Amino acid sequence: MSNTVGQIIKCRAAVAWEAGKPLVIEEVEVAPPQAGEVRLKILFTSLCHTDVYFWEAKGQTPLFPRIFGHEAGGIVESVGEGVSHLKPGDHALPVFTGECGECPHCKSEESNMCDLLRINTDRGVMLNDNKSRFSIKGQPVHHFVGTSTFSEYTVVHAGCVAKINPDAPLDKVCILSCGICTGLGATINVAKPKPGSSVAIFGLGAVGLAAAEGARISGASRIIGVDLVSSRFELAKKFGVNEFVNPKEHDKPVQQVIAEMTNGGVDRAVECTGSIQAMISAFECVHDGWGVAVLVGVPSKDDAFKTHPMNFLNERTLKGTFYGNYKPRTDLPNVVEKYMKGELELEKFITHTIPFSEINKAFDYMLKGESIRCIIKMEE
């Protein structure tokens, strides 16, 4: 790869020209990394619901043409000036949020919300010079959350790139770049269930299943899945879920159903839907005295919820989390090691694998609810 250093690289990328229209495989030019940036050769990427949400552009500022993609694994092709923690040939995961290492958040043991590099869905350019590194025949193409992994090569801020064990299979660990770590960390790092405890998981999509996996790894004995789609329950058993509640099948609030099932409430609850009602239920279903509820799902922008202050005074705790409280550069390599040691199972999240030329199939699978994670293989 060394002969490309400092050069513009021409490669294939899947470009979204307009909202909701199939992506088009185009030849794009990818500029070399500038100071503090890294150019990666992407080997595997996967589709996350966030890509679909911004591709549909129903609720936010549309920014097109754009190269989506933010869950991926690849190899460092070249690094810009001042980058010291990565070198060409390193195996790495790009992440939609970052770790500059200098700001108060990065210096705090309690936060992963880097001031400089936290997610910005409206930005379509690099921080360094407010320009794109992608172009087609001279026309700039917008970046997406600083990663744009639906391209054979991409340029990412070095603080958003985690160097990982070169023995880790990139076609598996690439899914740790977003959703899986978000759910896993919400349970392991934030809810922190004790062995033998009870945990309710609201929403059994990819993030919820990852939260359940976190409860399984933590040794929880009762893992209660809550979802409006009963067909999800069978699959969830693979992730440690051993009891199920569909709120539609009960004539009382689901928090009451769970409290009755568990003699007063669960020890921990993790909400992975973004629904206000689910957030209230997750908080109100935890046991007084020690119960902790963690919110993961992203609500609509005007949402607000109500709960009685006595729920707090009775010693219930409500917490929120972003990316499972993992610092990308510091913590992601350790999550990869968990997988390498057999403690974390990733294969069961991967439902499909397709070649890059068929990337639109990944959108179809997700929109039909048929996939948890679809791996897209860049080299064909």
Side-chain angles (χ1 to χ4, degrees):
M1 286 192 262
S2 55
N3 60 351
T4 55
V5 172
Q7 308 291 316
I8 287 173
I9 291 179
K10 290 185 176 181
C11 70
R12 294 181 308 157
V15 178
W17 287 99
E18 52 185 307
K21 294 281 165 50
L23 307 189
V24 182
I25 304 283
E26 304 275 12
E27 182 180 82
V28 298
E29 295 191 338
V30 185
Q34 296 199 5
E37 297 173 357
V38 177
R39 188 159 60 184
L40 293 170
K41 180 178 187 180
I42 299 295
L43 297 182
F44 297 94
T45 185
S46 66
L47 181 67
C48 167
H49 197 266
T50 308
D51 296 305
V52 177
Y53 179 75
F54 283 91
W55 165 74
E56 289 178 324
K58 286 176 181 169
Q60 66 295 94
T61 319
L63 204 52
F64 295 96
R66 200 171 204 184
I67 297 171
F68 287 103
H70 64 283
E71 284 190 352
I75 296 173
V76 176
E77 176 271 337
S78 59
V79 300
E81 187 189 324
V83 176
S84 56
H85 77 285
L86 294 158
K87 61 184 186 307
D90 283 346
H91 285 220
L93 303 180
V95 186
F96 64 90
T97 183
E99 186 180 348
C100 73
E102 301 298 322
C103 72
H105 283 276
C106 286
K107 288 181 172 170
S108 160
E109 287 179 10
E110 296 179 51
S111 175
N112 65 341
M113 298 187 71
C114 176
D115 280 330
L116 180 68
L117 300 172
R118 76 173 65 165
I119 187 169
N120 182 332
T121 55
D122 293 331
R123 189 191 299 127
V125 291
M126 296 301 287
L127 279 170
N128 192 319
D129 58 358
N130 286 323
K131 290 182 178 163
S132 174
R133 302 287 172 265
F134 297 110
S135 60
I136 297 177
K137 295 174 186 154
Q139 178 189 0
V141 179
H142 295 291
H143 292 251
F144 177 63
V145 296
T147 51
S148 292
T149 61
F150 294 166
S151 173
E152 291 173 318
Y153 286 86
T154 187
V155 177
V156 182
H157 191 289
C160 299
V161 180
K163 177 183 171 178
I164 62 161
N165 182 341
D167 295 332
L170 290 171
D171 60 333
K172 308 290 188 293
V173 298
C174 65
I175 64 173
L176 293 172
S177 287
C178 176
I180 307 308
C181 275
T182 297
L184 188 73
T187 306
I188 293 176
N189 298 335
V190 188
K192 298 179 180 170
K194 295 184 173 77
S197 61
S198 57
V199 182
I201 309 286
F202 285 75
L204 297 173
V207 175
L209 293 174
E213 178 75 355
R216 183 191 70 77
I217 291 170
S218 301
S221 60
R222 293 184 75 178
I223 304 174
I224 302 168
V226 183
D227 202 291
L228 298 169
V229 182
S230 295
S231 58
R232 289 179 158 185
F233 295 161
E234 196 54 42
L235 176 66
K237 290 177 186 173
K238 284 190 194 173
F239 299 83
V241 177
N242 48 26
E243 295 177 62
F244 303 98
V245 178
N246 183 334
K248 290 196 291 200
E249 291 171 5
H250 298 272
D251 52 9
K252 54 182 127 180
V254 70
Q255 52 267 50
Q256 205 177 322
V257 175
I258 292 170
E260 287 168 12
M261 285 168 67
T262 53
N263 197 21
V266 285
D267 302 312
R268 302 289 184 264
V270 184
E271 186 286 317
C272 305
T273 70
S275 140
I276 289 298
Q277 192 48 58
M279 293 179 188
I280 297 167
S281 301
F283 177 50
E284 294 182 356
C285 83
V286 299
H287 206 290
D288 58 2
W290 62 79
V292 177
V294 178
L295 304 186
V296 182
V298 180
S300 300
K301 74 176 190 330
D302 298 326
D303 280 344
F305 70 74
K306 257 176 29 175
T307 187
H308 200 283
M310 281 310 295
N311 288 322
F312 291 98
L313 297 175
N314 287 335
E315 298 178 5
R316 289 180 184 86
T317 302
L318 181 62
K319 292 181 169 188
T321 177
F322 168 69
Y323 191 52
N325 280 38
Y326 287 116
K327 290 179 187 274
R329 279 169 49 189
T330 303
D331 297 329
L332 213 45
N334 302 328
V335 182
V336 169
E337 291 311 313
K338 251 189 200 307
Y339 166 73
M340 295 298 279
K341 289 179 195 155
E343 294 167 23
L344 165 64
E345 297 167 13
L346 293 178
E347 285 80 358
K348 59 195 179 186
F349 288 97
I350 299 166
T351 46
H352 302 77
T353 302
I354 58 171
F356 186 41
S357 56
E358 296 175 12
I359 189 168
N360 287 303
K361 278 189 182 170
F363 285 77
D364 296 339
Y365 294 143
M366 187 159 280
L367 290 167
K368 288 178 186 161
E370 291 172 5
S371 70
I372 306 175
R373 278 295 176 267
C374 177
I375 301 293
I376 298 150
K377 189 171 182 245
M378 303 305 280
E379 292 182 331
E380 297 178 37

